[in-house]
């Protein structure tokens, strides 16, 4: 494993999280999914050990570290076969946004619970008619009355929002109308799970994962004035502050899953023998596994760069690196899983070996939270200055 960008503390954290992951592992996750449950024991234990809130401020019960550390936690849990997808949203996006932009009261209300795992928050931006084009979202908040104390009424629809059933609240991206210009501006609202008018229906996914996805209908959901996170005029800035951690964490999710699949394939290729030597001695098997290993390592390097830039406060530099890391990790994950399944021959498709379901799961890292194509668009326009077709 490359350690060039990691301190001794990082390596110790990796080792400790890997040990925790090993105690749970893929069998645990499989049984949780089979029972339609949530990985509550692993979530609670990871939280108790300080791993879930490692990026959150110490004064609110967090570890006072950053995305470099939080991404190590998710990667290592994933490499052990037991990734916690809600880490991408709860401590990484929601925790970051509240820690950086929330009011003191919001910080006191949410951060200690997000850090110790007793509170979870989902994140809803995707809309059915906007999809990848988040400029097109129409979920709208209007004040019910005048003055800064007036309630908000939030109306709109969201889709594919993960974990709304277990989350105490969802951080919903909406828009408010500028009183002077009439223009709509992005804003973030904390919507409690049981708020009247906040309806959810589970989407029937092919994914075998404990985290479920929901379509949300917000029908004049009444929220107190302080449900708005931070400043109404700085919504976009606040949103972007949460999206870089989201991409870094999705990279960690993809790298962890890719490493898990690759390790299973390597184990198998060393022992499965149908000719004179184990199948891993055939270059047609060995080289694609070597390639998968290289691509996962490269993706990790870019993830580490993105995390370093983000933790150093360079939001703009981190934006490009986080997108590239998420792209690289998504592609490396999909390829590693595909090759792992192939390496096991027929066993790649059995329940016993449990790899085939990762083919679907790996695609999450390619499509969410921003698709491969939208990252290529971003790099074409932002990094290379090429003209836009849409
Ligand atoms: C398991 C899972 C969990 C998720 N969790 C959450 C969550 O917690 N919260 C949340 O808000 N969302 C969540 N999402 C939603 C996810 O972020 C979206 O699915 C993703 O942003 C893509 O949007 P879409 O599905 O509407 O695809 P579309 O935008 O309809 O895109 C469809 C295809 O067209 C391509 N495409 C679109 N526009 C262009 C273009 N300009 N150029 C080239 N290609 C283009 C895309 O790359 C994609 O391949 C989740 C999705 C999944 C699958």
């Amino acid at each position: 494993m490359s350690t060039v960008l990691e301190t001794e503390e990082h390596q110790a954290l990796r080792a400790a999280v890997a040990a925790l992951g090993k105690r749970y592992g893929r069998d645990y996750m499989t049984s949780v999914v089979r029972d339609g449950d949530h990985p509550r024991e692993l979530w609670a234990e990871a939280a108790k050990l300080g791993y879930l809130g490692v990026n959150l401020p110490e004064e609110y019960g967090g570890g006072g570290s950053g995305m470099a550390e939080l991404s190590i936690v998710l990667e290592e849990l994933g490499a052990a076969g037991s990734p916690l997808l809600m880490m991408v949203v709860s401590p990484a996006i929601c925790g970051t946004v509240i820690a950086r932009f929330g009011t003191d009261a919001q910080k006191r209300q949410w951060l200690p619970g997000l850090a110790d795992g007793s509170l979870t928050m989902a994140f809803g931006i995707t809309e059915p008619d906007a999809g990848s084009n988040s400029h097109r979202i129409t979920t709208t908040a209007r004040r019910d009355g005048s003055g800064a104390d007036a309630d908000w009424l939030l109306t709109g629809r969201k889709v594919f929002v993960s974990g709304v059933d277990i989350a105490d609240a969802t951080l919903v991206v909406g828009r408010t109308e500028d009183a002077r210009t009439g223009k709509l501006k992005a804003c973030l609202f904390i919507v409690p799970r049981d708020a009247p008018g906040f309806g959810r229906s589970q989407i029937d996914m092919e994914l075998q994962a404990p985290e479920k996805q929901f379509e949300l209908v917000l029908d004049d959901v009444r929220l107190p004035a302080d449900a708005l996170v931070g400043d109404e005029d700085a919504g976009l800035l606040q949103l972007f502050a949460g999206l870089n951690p989201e991409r870094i964490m999705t990279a960690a999710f993809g790298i962890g899953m890719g490493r898990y699949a690759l390790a299973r394939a390597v184990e198998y290729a060393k022992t499965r023998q149908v000719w004179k030597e184990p199948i891993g001695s055939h270059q047609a098997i060995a080289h694609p596994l070597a390639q998968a290993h290289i691509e996962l390592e490269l993706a990790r390097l870019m993830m580490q760069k993105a995390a370093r830039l983000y933790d150093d406060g360079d939001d703009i530099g981190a934006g490009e690196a986080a997108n590239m890391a998420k792209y690289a990790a998504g592609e490396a994950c999909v390829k590693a899983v595909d090759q792992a399944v192939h390496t096991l021959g027929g066993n790649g498709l059995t329940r016993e070996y449990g790899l085939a379901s990762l083919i679907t799961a790996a695609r999450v890292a390619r499509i969410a939270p921003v698709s491969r194509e939208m990252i290529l668009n971003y790099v074409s326009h932002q990094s290379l200055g090429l003209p836009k077709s849409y």
Side-chain angles (χ1 to χ4, degrees), residues 12-362:
L13 178 65
R14 265 192 199 283
V17 178
L20 171 69
K22 210 170 159 195
R23 282 201 281 113
Y24 285 86
R26 183 90 178 132
D27 288 346
Y28 167 75
M29 268 320 190
T30 307
S31 73
V32 166
V33 172
R34 195 183 45 232
D35 298 344
D37 206 348
H38 309 291
R40 55 184 95 241
E41 300 84 2
L42 175 56
W43 185 268
E45 196 169 343
K48 199 167 149 221
L49 291 165
Y51 299 153
L52 294 191
V54 72
N55 63 317
L56 297 175
E58 275 177 296
E59 55 185 310
Y60 295 101
S65 300
M67 293 313 302
E69 292 74 15
L70 195 68
S71 57
I72 286 175
V73 174
L74 182 56
E75 184 195 326
E76 290 302 327
L77 290 177
S82 49
L84 293 172
L85 184 69
M86 288 305 282
M87 281 184 69
V88 178
V89 275
S90 194
I93 310 178
C94 303
T96 295
V97 169
I98 293 173
R100 286 185 60 177
F101 302 103
T103 61
D104 284 344
Q106 285 164 346
K107 290 180 194 174
R108 280 196 306 274
Q109 186 183 354
W110 290 100
L111 295 180
L114 294 182
D116 72 15
S118 58
L119 293 176
T120 310
M121 206 183 265
F123 177 71
I125 182 167
T126 310
E127 293 191 3
D129 297 329
S132 300
N133 186 0
S134 46
H135 298 292
R136 215 173 159 187
I137 65 169
T138 56
T139 295
T140 310
R142 60 180 204 286
R143 292 266 195 197
D144 185 26
S146 56
D149 290 342
D151 285 353
W152 293 100
L153 292 171
L154 191 59
T155 295
R157 281 170 70 204
K158 297 285 172 190
V159 73
F160 293 124
V161 183
S162 299
V164 186
D165 54 335
I166 54 153
D168 299 275
T170 300
L171 187 63
V172 171
V173 183
R175 325 186 86 176
T176 56
E177 193 174 317
D178 190 301
R180 281 168 298 136
T181 62
K183 272 180 79 174
L184 290 175
K185 38 189 195 177
C187 274
L188 296 154
F189 292 90
I190 299 173
V191 182
R193 181 177 44 211
D194 299 321
F198 184 45
R200 62 169 191 265
S201 47
Q202 193 180 324
I203 303 172
D204 195 10
M205 305 290 281
E206 283 282 3
L207 274 179
Q208 284 184 33
E211 301 81 11
K212 300 171 180 72
Q213 278 67 46
F214 293 87
E215 177 156 7
L216 306 178
V217 176
L218 297 105
D219 183 10
D220 266 349
V221 178
R222 179 173 291 278
L223 300 169
D226 64 2
L228 174 76
V229 176
D231 186 346
E232 195 181 335
D233 290 317
L236 214 53
L237 182 79
Q238 296 169 186
L239 179 59
F240 283 125
L243 296 186
N244 285 335
E246 181 183 44
R247 284 151 179 62
I248 295 168
M249 290 297 279
T250 308
F253 178 82
I255 295 165
M257 186 185 299
R259 279 177 54 199
Y260 172 80
L262 179 62
R264 300 291 77 72
V266 168
E267 265 166 27
Y268 194 88
K270 281 180 183 165
T271 52
R272 173 72 173 159
Q273 194 167 340
V274 289
W275 307 94
K276 275 194 305 205
E277 299 293 335
I279 56 168
S281 66
H282 307 308
Q283 290 175 348
I285 288 291
H287 283 184
L289 296 178
Q291 269 173 327
H293 180 60
I294 291 170
E295 285 164 22
L296 289 166
E297 286 280 315
L298 289 173
R300 186 200 288 115
L301 265 180
M302 189 50 90
M303 177 181 80
Q304 288 168 323
K305 174 177 174 179
R308 172 78 65 87
L309 288 168
Y310 185 81
D311 292 338
D312 285 351
D314 181 357
D315 282 340
I316 297 187
E320 184 188 59
N323 274 297
M324 289 181 175
K326 150 45 217 183
Y327 172 91
E331 295 312 294
C333 175
V334 166
K335 276 172 77 176
V337 166
D338 186 67
Q339 189 58 35
V341 170
H342 193 65
T343 301
L344 270 68
N347 277 332
L349 302 180
T350 60
R351 277 269 158 80
E352 183 189 349
Y353 284 87
L355 283 182
S357 65
L358 294 185
I359 291 181
T360 315

